[in-house]
């Protein structure tokens, strides 16, 4: 199999895309995702995007500010994390408070976009791209609460949702198709580490030139391949754990199914026995009553009228 020619995006985020000369690659990704030209003025540091070199599986955050003063936190996550939705919320909430000074008016809260590139199965859904935003809907009318004309003029936005943080989730593992649009060209690179020559999405032509493995030194290559090995080991551990959990679940389900079957069988037998016993009891009581009536000198016609049985049934029981 031919070796990949290009550096994986998560590694590039750690080592290369923080360089101002490479902003164009990040700008290309954001421009493609948001479908409008995004220009990065600078990268920022935040408590939520400090890198821990000791954690080889950690998220890779870049916090960028565009020409409008909006904030973009870009996170790549390899490790499976069941509370990742809450972590997205925490990261954005930290930025909301970090980038407003005490005493400033709430109108100065910055718009924040959280872009999450995840290499694990987050939640339950079949799409590879999800977008979340905040809207207020009338409980009785179903209408969306809108800004007043004054608020639209003051904040220079058209909807309440534009004042709140927005979230984008790119589920890389759920993309396995041939690219058919610009965003899918990016998804293909994120998924495979390859950039076809006919890719035209913004930023990919620059990535093709700047993120070549051949440009790395021997030491950089060694560290890079260790990172890839660690990532593979991590994913193998995740898949192994899932596989073992699935097998354990099936075995437990099989045993529980057998037990449930036994209990249902016992319940059915008990119910049928009760019904049969009850039926037999009624039949025996009728027979005894008929015999008692006959001993008392009652005619077959009288017994038939009292019990509701036909004369033939009475004769048969006697």
């Amino acid at each position: 199999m031919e070796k990949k020619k290009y550096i994986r995006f998560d590694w590039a985020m750690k080592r290369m895309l923080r360089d101002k000369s490479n902003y164009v690659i990040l700008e290309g990704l954001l421009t493609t995702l948001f479908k409008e030209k995004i220009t990065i003025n600078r990268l920022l540091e935040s408590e939520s995007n400090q890198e821990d070199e000791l954690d080889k599986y950690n998220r890779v955050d870049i916090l960028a500010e565009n020409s409008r003063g909006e904030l973009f936190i870009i996170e790549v996550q390899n490790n499976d994390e069941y509370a990742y939705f809450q972590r997205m919320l925490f990261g954005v909430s930290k930025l909301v408070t970090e980038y407003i000074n005490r005493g400033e008016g709430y109108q100065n809260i910055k718009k924040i976009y959280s872009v999450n590139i995840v290499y694990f199965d987050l939640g339950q859904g079949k799409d590879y791209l999800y977008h979340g935003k905040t809207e207020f809907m009338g409980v009785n009318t179903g209408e969306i609460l809108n800004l007043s004309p004054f608020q639209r003029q003051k904040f220079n936005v058209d909807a309440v949702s534009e004042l709140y943080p927005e979230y984008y989730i790119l589920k890389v593992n759920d993309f396995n198709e041939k690219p058919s649009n610009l965003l899918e060209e990016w998804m293909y690179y994120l998924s495979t580490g390859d950039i076809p020559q006919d890719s035209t999405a913004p930023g990919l032509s620059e990535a093709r030139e700047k993120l070549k493995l051949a440009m790395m030194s021997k030491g950089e290559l060694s560290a890079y391949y260790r990172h890839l090995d660690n990532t593979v080991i991590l994913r193998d551990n995740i898949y192994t754990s899932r596989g073992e959990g699935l097998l354990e679940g099936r075995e437990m389900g099989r045993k529980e199914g057998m037990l449930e079957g036994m209990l249902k069988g016992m319940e059915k037998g008990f119910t049928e026995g009760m019904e049969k016993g009850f039926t037999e009891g009624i039949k025996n009581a009728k027979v005894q009553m008929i015999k008692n009536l006959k001993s008392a000198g009652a005619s077959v016609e009288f017994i038939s009228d009292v019990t509701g049985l036909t004369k033939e049934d009475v004769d048969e029981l006697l």
Side-chain angles (χ1 to χ4, degrees), residues 176-203:
N176 55 5
E177 301 179 15
K178 185 176 180 180
S180 60
N181 57 50
L182 297 181
L183 181 58
E184 289 186 357
E185 288 182 4
W186 262 102
M187 292 298 298
Y188 184 82
Y189 166 52
L190 296 175
S191 176
T192 67
D194 190 24
I195 309 174
Q197 290 299 316
D198 59 353
S199 297
T200 59

Side-chain angles (χ1 to χ4, degrees), residues 24-176:
V24 63
I25 298 174
L26 281 177
E27 290 172 343
L29 171 61
L30 296 176
T31 295
T32 304
L33 181 61
F34 291 92
K35 297 182 179 179
E36 63 173 287
K37 177 62 177 174
I38 302 294
T39 301
I40 296 176
N41 274 6
R42 57 178 178 153
L43 297 187
L44 306 170
E45 288 299 331
S46 161
E47 291 180 25
S48 62
N49 77 322
Q50 295 295 321
E51 184 180 337
D52 181 1
E53 292 290 347
L54 298 178
D55 183 0
K56 54 183 173 291
Y57 308 139
N58 71 330
R59 68 184 188 223
V60 183
D61 290 343
I62 280 184
L63 179 60
E65 184 181 57
N66 71 357
S67 55
R68 296 198 294 258
E70 299 168 326
L71 301 179
F72 297 80
I73 183 167
I74 308 169
E75 178 172 323
V76 177
Q77 175 69 12
N78 287 300
N79 197 4
D80 199 344
E81 185 173 342
Y82 78 97
Y84 190 81
F85 288 115
Q86 290 92 326
R87 199 175 80 181
M88 287 165 49
L89 172 63
F90 178 80
V92 167
S93 300
K94 287 282 289 181
L95 290 183
V96 169
T97 57
E98 284 178 20
Y99 283 89
I100 185 170
N101 296 321
R102 180 174 295 180
E104 276 192 280
Y106 296 127
Q107 70 273 12
N108 294 320
I109 291 177
K110 289 182 176 290
K111 173 72 175 186
I112 300 172
Y113 296 94
S114 174
V115 179
N116 300 271
I117 303 169
V118 298
Y119 286 84
F120 65 97
D121 294 329
L122 176 60
Q124 188 173 22
K126 297 181 179 179
D127 207 335
Y128 64 82
L129 174 63
Y130 291 87
H131 175 214
K133 61 183 181 180
T134 301
E135 288 183 329
F136 297 91
M137 180 179 293
V139 174
N140 300 301
T141 63
E143 66 177 351
I144 301 297
L145 182 63
N146 292 313
L147 295 172
S148 68
F150 173 75
Q151 288 172 319
R152 286 198 294 270
Q153 181 182 23
K154 184 70 175 177
F155 302 133
N156 195 30
V157 296
D158 295 322
V160 174
S161 61
E162 295 180 65
L163 299 175
Y164 283 82
E166 295 185 37
Y167 301 85
Y168 288 83
I169 299 174
L170 285 71
K171 298 180 66 177
V172 179
N173 289 350
D174 287 345
F175 179 79
N176 55 5

